[in-house]
PDB file of all heavy atoms in Angstrom:
ATOM      1  N   ASP A 454     -21.367 -38.836  25.508  1.00 83.00           N
ATOM      2  CA  ASP A 454     -21.143 -38.150  24.220  1.00 83.00           C
ATOM      3  C   ASP A 454     -22.469 -37.699  23.630  1.00 83.00           C
ATOM      4  O   ASP A 454     -22.612 -36.565  23.156  1.00 83.00           O
ATOM      5  CB  ASP A 454     -20.453 -39.087  23.209  1.00 83.00           C
ATOM      6  CG  ASP A 454     -18.933 -38.974  23.312  1.00 83.00           C
ATOM      7  OD1 ASP A 454     -18.466 -38.235  24.216  1.00 83.00           O
ATOM      8  OD2 ASP A 454     -18.234 -39.620  22.499  1.00 83.00           O
ATOM      9  N   ASN A 519      -9.893 -36.413  24.442  1.00 94.00           N
ATOM     10  CA  ASN A 519     -10.425 -36.919  23.170  1.00 94.00           C
ATOM     11  C   ASN A 519      -9.327 -36.979  22.102  1.00 94.00           C
ATOM     12  O   ASN A 519      -9.194 -37.977  21.379  1.00 94.00           O
ATOM     13  CB  ASN A 519     -11.579 -36.029  22.711  1.00 94.00           C
ATOM     14  CG  ASN A 519     -12.196 -36.531  21.419  1.00 94.00           C
ATOM     15  OD1 ASN A 519     -12.145 -35.875  20.416  1.00 94.00           O
ATOM     16  ND2 ASN A 519     -12.752 -37.739  21.448  1.00 94.00           N
ATOM     17  N   LEU A 520      -8.507 -35.912  22.042  1.00 96.00           N
ATOM     18  CA  LEU A 520      -7.456 -35.889  21.020  1.00 96.00           C
ATOM     19  C   LEU A 520      -6.411 -36.964  21.286  1.00 96.00           C
ATOM     20  O   LEU A 520      -5.961 -37.654  20.372  1.00 96.00           O
ATOM     21  CB  LEU A 520      -6.794 -34.500  20.964  1.00 96.00           C
ATOM     22  CG  LEU A 520      -7.702 -33.343  20.522  1.00 96.00           C
ATOM     23  CD1 LEU A 520      -6.895 -32.052  20.408  1.00 96.00           C
ATOM     24  CD2 LEU A 520      -8.378 -33.647  19.184  1.00 96.00           C
ATOM     25  N   ASN A 523      -7.873 -40.373  20.508  1.00 93.00           N
ATOM     26  CA  ASN A 523      -7.851 -40.630  19.069  1.00 93.00           C
ATOM     27  C   ASN A 523      -6.445 -40.976  18.595  1.00 93.00           C
ATOM     28  O   ASN A 523      -6.257 -41.909  17.814  1.00 93.00           O
ATOM     29  CB  ASN A 523      -8.336 -39.397  18.286  1.00 93.00           C
ATOM     30  CG  ASN A 523      -9.853 -39.302  18.264  1.00 93.00           C
ATOM     31  OD1 ASN A 523     -10.541 -40.252  18.661  1.00 93.00           O
ATOM     32  ND2 ASN A 523     -10.369 -38.164  17.822  1.00 93.00           N
ATOM     33  N   ALA A 524      -5.456 -40.201  19.089  1.00 95.00           N
ATOM     34  CA  ALA A 524      -4.070 -40.441  18.682  1.00 95.00           C
ATOM     35  C   ALA A 524      -3.675 -41.879  19.019  1.00 95.00           C
ATOM     36  O   ALA A 524      -3.062 -42.576  18.216  1.00 95.00           O
ATOM     37  CB  ALA A 524      -3.145 -39.443  19.373  1.00 95.00           C
ATOM     38  N   TYR A 527      -5.693 -44.505  16.772  1.00 91.00           N
ATOM     39  CA  TYR A 527      -5.374 -44.620  15.350  1.00 91.00           C
ATOM     40  C   TYR A 527      -3.879 -44.697  15.090  1.00 91.00           C
ATOM     41  O   TYR A 527      -3.382 -44.228  14.084  1.00 91.00           O
ATOM     42  CB  TYR A 527      -6.023 -43.448  14.573  1.00 91.00           C
ATOM     43  CG  TYR A 527      -7.523 -43.434  14.749  1.00 91.00           C
ATOM     44  CD1 TYR A 527      -8.166 -42.444  15.490  1.00 91.00           C
ATOM     45  CD2 TYR A 527      -8.295 -44.459  14.180  1.00 91.00           C
ATOM     46  CE1 TYR A 527      -9.536 -42.457  15.669  1.00 91.00           C
ATOM     47  CE2 TYR A 527      -9.676 -44.483  14.366  1.00 91.00           C
ATOM     48  CZ  TYR A 527     -10.290 -43.480  15.111  1.00 91.00           C
ATOM     49  OH  TYR A 527     -11.644 -43.516  15.288  1.00 91.00           O
ATOM     50  N   ASP A 551       0.551 -37.560  16.506  1.00 97.00           N
ATOM     51  CA  ASP A 551       0.786 -39.007  16.588  1.00 97.00           C
ATOM     52  C   ASP A 551       1.534 -39.489  15.355  1.00 97.00           C
ATOM     53  O   ASP A 551       1.770 -38.735  14.420  1.00 97.00           O
ATOM     54  CB  ASP A 551      -0.543 -39.756  16.774  1.00 97.00           C
ATOM     55  CG  ASP A 551      -1.455 -39.614  15.582  1.00 97.00           C
ATOM     56  OD1 ASP A 551      -1.003 -39.843  14.443  1.00 97.00           O
ATOM     57  OD2 ASP A 551      -2.652 -39.241  15.787  1.00 97.00           O
ATOM     58  N   ILE A 554      -2.035 -43.815  11.568  1.00 92.00           N
ATOM     59  CA  ILE A 554      -2.430 -44.143  10.185  1.00 92.00           C
ATOM     60  C   ILE A 554      -2.701 -42.895   9.350  1.00 92.00           C
ATOM     61  O   ILE A 554      -2.704 -42.953   8.132  1.00 92.00           O
ATOM     62  CB  ILE A 554      -3.692 -45.046  10.159  1.00 92.00           C
ATOM     63  CG1 ILE A 554      -4.865 -44.357  10.901  1.00 92.00           C
ATOM     64  CG2 ILE A 554      -3.388 -46.409  10.748  1.00 92.00           C
ATOM     65  CD1 ILE A 554      -6.191 -45.076  10.729  1.00 92.00           C
ATOM     66  N   GLY A 555      -2.934 -41.766   9.996  1.00 93.00           N
ATOM     67  CA  GLY A 555      -3.203 -40.522   9.255  1.00 93.00           C
ATOM     68  C   GLY A 555      -4.587 -40.521   8.639  1.00 93.00           C
ATOM     69  O   GLY A 555      -5.347 -41.490   8.744  1.00 93.00           O
ATOM     70  N   ILE A 556      -4.873 -39.400   7.985  1.00 92.00           N
ATOM     71  CA  ILE A 556      -6.209 -39.234   7.386  1.00 92.00           C
ATOM     72  C   ILE A 556      -6.012 -38.770   5.946  1.00 92.00           C
ATOM     73  O   ILE A 556      -5.289 -37.792   5.719  1.00 92.00           O
ATOM     74  CB  ILE A 556      -7.028 -38.167   8.162  1.00 92.00           C
ATOM     75  CG1 ILE A 556      -7.145 -38.553   9.643  1.00 92.00           C
ATOM     76  CG2 ILE A 556      -8.405 -37.971   7.541  1.00 92.00           C
ATOM     77  CD1 ILE A 556      -7.543 -37.409  10.548  1.00 92.00           C
ATOM     78  N   VAL A 564     -13.634 -34.615   9.380  1.00 90.00           N
ATOM     79  CA  VAL A 564     -13.539 -35.316  10.661  1.00 90.00           C
ATOM     80  C   VAL A 564     -14.213 -34.573  11.806  1.00 90.00           C
ATOM     81  O   VAL A 564     -14.558 -35.182  12.817  1.00 90.00           O
ATOM     82  CB  VAL A 564     -12.073 -35.662  11.043  1.00 90.00           C
ATOM     83  CG1 VAL A 564     -11.501 -36.681  10.091  1.00 90.00           C
ATOM     84  CG2 VAL A 564     -11.219 -34.408  11.089  1.00 90.00           C
ATOM     85  N   GLU A 566     -17.092 -33.148  11.508  1.00 85.00           N
ATOM     86  CA  GLU A 566     -18.545 -33.226  11.367  1.00 85.00           C
ATOM     87  C   GLU A 566     -19.106 -34.265  12.334  1.00 85.00           C
ATOM     88  O   GLU A 566     -18.448 -35.263  12.638  1.00 85.00           O
ATOM     89  CB  GLU A 566     -18.909 -33.622   9.927  1.00 85.00           C
ATOM     90  CG  GLU A 566     -18.658 -32.490   8.946  1.00 85.00           C
ATOM     91  CD  GLU A 566     -18.914 -32.912   7.510  1.00 85.00           C
ATOM     92  OE1 GLU A 566     -19.549 -33.969   7.300  1.00 85.00           O
ATOM     93  OE2 GLU A 566     -18.452 -32.182   6.618  1.00 85.00           O
ATOM     94  N   TYR A 569     -19.273 -38.275  11.931  1.00 75.00           N
ATOM     95  CA  TYR A 569     -18.440 -38.686  10.806  1.00 75.00           C
ATOM     96  C   TYR A 569     -17.347 -39.612  11.296  1.00 75.00           C
ATOM     97  O   TYR A 569     -16.610 -39.314  12.225  1.00 75.00           O
ATOM     98  CB  TYR A 569     -17.814 -37.471  10.092  1.00 75.00           C
ATOM     99  CG  TYR A 569     -17.021 -37.915   8.894  1.00 75.00           C
ATOM    100  CD1 TYR A 569     -17.676 -38.185   7.688  1.00 75.00           C
ATOM    101  CD2 TYR A 569     -15.659 -38.142   8.991  1.00 75.00           C
ATOM    102  CE1 TYR A 569     -16.971 -38.659   6.611  1.00 75.00           C
ATOM    103  CE2 TYR A 569     -14.944 -38.618   7.914  1.00 75.00           C
ATOM    104  CZ  TYR A 569     -15.598 -38.878   6.726  1.00 75.00           C
ATOM    105  OH  TYR A 569     -14.910 -39.357   5.652  1.00 75.00           O
ATOM    106  N   ARG A 570     -17.262 -40.759  10.615  1.00 72.00           N
ATOM    107  CA  ARG A 570     -16.189 -41.710  10.933  1.00 72.00           C
ATOM    108  C   ARG A 570     -15.672 -42.244   9.629  1.00 72.00           C
ATOM    109  O   ARG A 570     -16.439 -42.549   8.719  1.00 72.00           O
ATOM    110  CB  ARG A 570     -16.727 -42.870  11.775  1.00 72.00           C
ATOM    111  CG  ARG A 570     -17.469 -42.390  13.011  1.00 72.00           C
ATOM    112  CD  ARG A 570     -17.873 -43.550  13.877  1.00 72.00           C
ATOM    113  NE  ARG A 570     -16.708 -44.227  14.384  1.00 72.00           N
ATOM    114  CZ  ARG A 570     -16.637 -45.542  14.552  1.00 72.00           C
ATOM    115  NH1 ARG A 570     -17.655 -46.291  14.266  1.00 72.00           N
ATOM    116  NH2 ARG A 570     -15.536 -46.097  15.013  1.00 72.00           N
ATOM    117  N   LEU A 571     -14.335 -42.320   9.537  1.00 73.00           N
ATOM    118  CA  LEU A 571     -13.755 -42.884   8.324  1.00 73.00           C
ATOM    119  C   LEU A 571     -14.139 -44.350   8.258  1.00 73.00           C
ATOM    120  O   LEU A 571     -14.090 -45.042   9.268  1.00 73.00           O
ATOM    121  CB  LEU A 571     -12.227 -42.746   8.377  1.00 73.00           C
ATOM    122  CG  LEU A 571     -11.676 -41.732   7.394  1.00 73.00           C
ATOM    123  CD1 LEU A 571     -12.007 -40.337   7.882  1.00 73.00           C
ATOM    124  CD2 LEU A 571     -10.180 -41.895   7.250  1.00 73.00           C
ATOM    125  N   SER A 573     -12.822 -46.895   7.709  1.00 56.00           N
ATOM    126  CA  SER A 573     -11.686 -47.819   7.670  1.00 56.00           C
ATOM    127  C   SER A 573     -11.902 -48.921   8.700  1.00 56.00           C
ATOM    128  O   SER A 573     -12.669 -48.762   9.652  1.00 56.00           O
ATOM    129  CB  SER A 573     -10.392 -47.070   7.973  1.00 56.00           C
ATOM    130  OG  SER A 573     -10.379 -46.709   9.328  1.00 56.00           O
ATOM    131  N   ALA A 576     -11.178 -47.832  12.285  1.00 49.00           N
ATOM    132  CA  ALA A 576     -12.211 -47.036  12.932  1.00 49.00           C
ATOM    133  C   ALA A 576     -13.331 -47.939  13.418  1.00 49.00           C
ATOM    134  O   ALA A 576     -13.824 -47.802  14.533  1.00 49.00           O
ATOM    135  CB  ALA A 576     -12.752 -45.996  11.968  1.00 49.00           C
ATOM    136  N   ARG A 579     -12.350 -49.973  16.454  1.00 54.00           N
ATOM    137  CA  ARG A 579     -12.179 -49.176  17.663  1.00 54.00           C
ATOM    138  C   ARG A 579     -13.502 -48.759  18.285  1.00 54.00           C
ATOM    139  O   ARG A 579     -13.585 -48.414  19.446  1.00 54.00           O
ATOM    140  CB  ARG A 579     -11.343 -47.952  17.301  1.00 54.00           C
ATOM    141  CG  ARG A 579     -10.792 -47.247  18.498  1.00 54.00           C
ATOM    142  CD  ARG A 579     -10.931 -45.758  18.361  1.00 54.00           C
ATOM    143  NE  ARG A 579     -11.320 -45.193  19.636  1.00 54.00           N
ATOM    144  CZ  ARG A 579     -12.054 -44.129  19.779  1.00 54.00           C
ATOM    145  NH1 ARG A 579     -12.514 -43.537  18.698  1.00 54.00           N
ATOM    146  NH2 ARG A 579     -12.355 -43.662  20.949  1.00 54.00           N
ATOM    147  N   GLY A 580     -14.537 -48.804  17.470  1.00 56.00           N
ATOM    148  CA  GLY A 580     -15.821 -48.353  18.003  1.00 56.00           C
ATOM    149  C   GLY A 580     -15.848 -46.850  18.066  1.00 56.00           C
ATOM    150  O   GLY A 580     -15.097 -46.177  17.371  1.00 56.00           O
ATOM    151  N   GLY A 581     -16.670 -46.279  18.891  1.00 64.00           N
ATOM    152  CA  GLY A 581     -16.765 -44.814  18.972  1.00 64.00           C
ATOM    153  C   GLY A 581     -17.955 -44.340  18.174  1.00 64.00           C
ATOM    154  O   GLY A 581     -18.474 -45.045  17.313  1.00 64.00           O
ATOM    155  N   SER A 582     -18.371 -43.126  18.497  1.00 66.00           N
ATOM    156  CA  SER A 582     -19.616 -42.627  17.916  1.00 66.00           C
ATOM    157  C   SER A 582     -19.398 -41.713  16.731  1.00 66.00           C
ATOM    158  O   SER A 582     -20.329 -41.394  16.020  1.00 66.00           O
ATOM    159  CB  SER A 582     -20.365 -41.836  18.988  1.00 66.00           C
ATOM    160  OG  SER A 582     -19.533 -40.760  19.405  1.00 66.00           O
ATOM    161  N   GLY A 583     -18.149 -41.239  16.530  1.00 76.00           N
ATOM    162  CA  GLY A 583     -17.927 -40.218  15.495  1.00 76.00           C
ATOM    163  C   GLY A 583     -18.365 -38.868  16.018  1.00 76.00           C
ATOM    164  O   GLY A 583     -18.546 -37.929  15.259  1.00 76.00           O
ATOM    165  N   LEU A 584     -18.509 -38.745  17.329  1.00 83.00           N
ATOM    166  CA  LEU A 584     -18.971 -37.484  17.921  1.00 83.00           C
ATOM    167  C   LEU A 584     -17.856 -36.723  18.623  1.00 83.00           C
ATOM    168  O   LEU A 584     -17.944 -35.518  18.815  1.00 83.00           O
ATOM    169  CB  LEU A 584     -20.071 -37.761  18.957  1.00 83.00           C
ATOM    170  CG  LEU A 584     -21.459 -38.034  18.393  1.00 83.00           C
ATOM    171  CD1 LEU A 584     -22.385 -38.470  19.519  1.00 83.00           C
ATOM    172  CD2 LEU A 584     -22.007 -36.803  17.697  1.00 83.00           C
ATOM    173  N   GLY A 585     -16.773 -37.436  18.965  1.00 89.00           N
ATOM    174  CA  GLY A 585     -15.700 -36.843  19.774  1.00 89.00           C
ATOM    175  C   GLY A 585     -15.185 -35.523  19.226  1.00 89.00           C
ATOM    176  O   GLY A 585     -15.166 -34.505  19.924  1.00 89.00           O
ATOM    177  N   LEU A 586     -14.791 -35.504  17.957  1.00 93.00           N
ATOM    178  CA  LEU A 586     -14.208 -34.289  17.384  1.00 93.00           C
ATOM    179  C   LEU A 586     -15.254 -33.193  17.210  1.00 93.00           C
ATOM    180  O   LEU A 586     -14.950 -32.015  17.367  1.00 93.00           O
ATOM    181  CB  LEU A 586     -13.516 -34.590  16.049  1.00 93.00           C
ATOM    182  CG  LEU A 586     -12.159 -35.314  16.171  1.00 93.00           C
ATOM    183  CD1 LEU A 586     -11.598 -35.645  14.791  1.00 93.00           C
ATOM    184  CD2 LEU A 586     -11.152 -34.475  16.956  1.00 93.00           C
ATOM    185  N   ALA A 587     -16.492 -33.609  16.874  1.00 90.00           N
ATOM    186  CA  ALA A 587     -17.557 -32.612  16.719  1.00 90.00           C
ATOM    187  C   ALA A 587     -17.799 -31.914  18.046  1.00 90.00           C
ATOM    188  O   ALA A 587     -17.934 -30.687  18.104  1.00 90.00           O
ATOM    189  CB  ALA A 587     -18.836 -33.277  16.208  1.00 90.00           C
ATOM    190  N   SER A 610      -0.879 -37.813  12.347  1.00 96.00           N
ATOM    191  CA  SER A 610      -1.757 -36.648  12.350  1.00 96.00           C
ATOM    192  C   SER A 610      -1.357 -35.707  13.456  1.00 96.00           C
ATOM    193  O   SER A 610      -0.680 -36.093  14.412  1.00 96.00           O
ATOM    194  CB  SER A 610      -3.209 -37.059  12.592  1.00 96.00           C
ATOM    195  OG  SER A 610      -3.554 -38.148  11.785  1.00 96.00           O
ATOM    196  N   PHE A 612      -3.476 -32.756  15.672  1.00 97.00           N
ATOM    197  CA  PHE A 612      -4.687 -31.982  15.963  1.00 97.00           C
ATOM    198  C   PHE A 612      -4.298 -30.870  16.930  1.00 97.00           C
ATOM    199  O   PHE A 612      -3.613 -31.131  17.914  1.00 97.00           O
ATOM    200  CB  PHE A 612      -5.767 -32.866  16.593  1.00 97.00           C
ATOM    201  CG  PHE A 612      -6.472 -33.731  15.574  1.00 97.00           C
ATOM    202  CD1 PHE A 612      -5.877 -34.899  15.102  1.00 97.00           C
ATOM    203  CD2 PHE A 612      -7.716 -33.362  15.077  1.00 97.00           C
ATOM    204  CE1 PHE A 612      -6.520 -35.689  14.153  1.00 97.00           C
ATOM    205  CE2 PHE A 612      -8.359 -34.145  14.133  1.00 97.00           C
ATOM    206  CZ  PHE A 612      -7.766 -35.311  13.664  1.00 97.00           C
TER     207      PHE A 612
HETATM  208  P1  ADP B 701     -14.486 -41.439  16.895  1.00 86.83           P
HETATM  209  O1  ADP B 701     -15.322 -41.639  18.086  1.00 86.83           O
HETATM  210  O2  ADP B 701     -14.870 -42.284  15.737  1.00 86.83           O
HETATM  211  O3  ADP B 701     -13.036 -41.426  17.177  1.00 86.83           O
HETATM  212  P2  ADP B 701     -14.061 -38.686  16.409  1.00 86.83           P
HETATM  213  O4  ADP B 701     -15.003 -37.580  16.094  1.00 86.83           O
HETATM  214  O5  ADP B 701     -13.169 -38.510  17.549  1.00 86.83           O
HETATM  215  O6  ADP B 701     -14.881 -40.006  16.443  1.00 86.83           O
HETATM  216  O7  ADP B 701     -13.168 -38.880  15.114  1.00 86.83           O
HETATM  217  C1  ADP B 701     -13.788 -38.905  13.836  1.00 86.83           C
HETATM  218  C2  ADP B 701     -12.972 -39.723  12.859  1.00 86.83           C
HETATM  219  O8  ADP B 701     -11.757 -39.042  12.563  1.00 86.83           O
HETATM  220  C3  ADP B 701     -12.515 -41.039  13.420  1.00 86.83           C
HETATM  221  O9  ADP B 701     -13.511 -42.028  13.202  1.00 86.83           O
HETATM  222  C4  ADP B 701     -11.260 -41.315  12.619  1.00 86.83           C
HETATM  223  O10 ADP B 701     -11.605 -41.914  11.379  1.00 86.83           O
HETATM  224  C5  ADP B 701     -10.693 -39.941  12.357  1.00 86.83           C
HETATM  225  N1  ADP B 701      -9.612 -39.592  13.308  1.00 86.83           N
HETATM  226  C6  ADP B 701      -9.703 -38.855  14.422  1.00 86.83           C
HETATM  227  N2  ADP B 701      -8.493 -38.699  15.016  1.00 86.83           N
HETATM  228  C7  ADP B 701      -7.598 -39.369  14.255  1.00 86.83           C
HETATM  229  C8  ADP B 701      -6.173 -39.596  14.336  1.00 86.83           C
HETATM  230  N3  ADP B 701      -5.419 -39.092  15.340  1.00 86.83           N
HETATM  231  N4  ADP B 701      -5.600 -40.355  13.377  1.00 86.83           N
HETATM  232  C9  ADP B 701      -6.342 -40.857  12.355  1.00 86.83           C
HETATM  233  N5  ADP B 701      -7.682 -40.676  12.239  1.00 86.83           N
HETATM  234  C10 ADP B 701      -8.313 -39.947  13.168  1.00 86.83           C
END
Side-chain angles (χ1 to χ4, degrees):
D454 270 4
N519 182 244
L520 295 184
N523 280 349
Y527 301 110
D551 65 50
I554 57 171
I556 303 162
V564 293
E566 288 176 15
Y569 183 82
R570 307 185 64 216
L571 250 73
S573 71
R579 195 223 140 211
S582 60
L584 281 172
L586 285 176
S610 313
F612 283 79

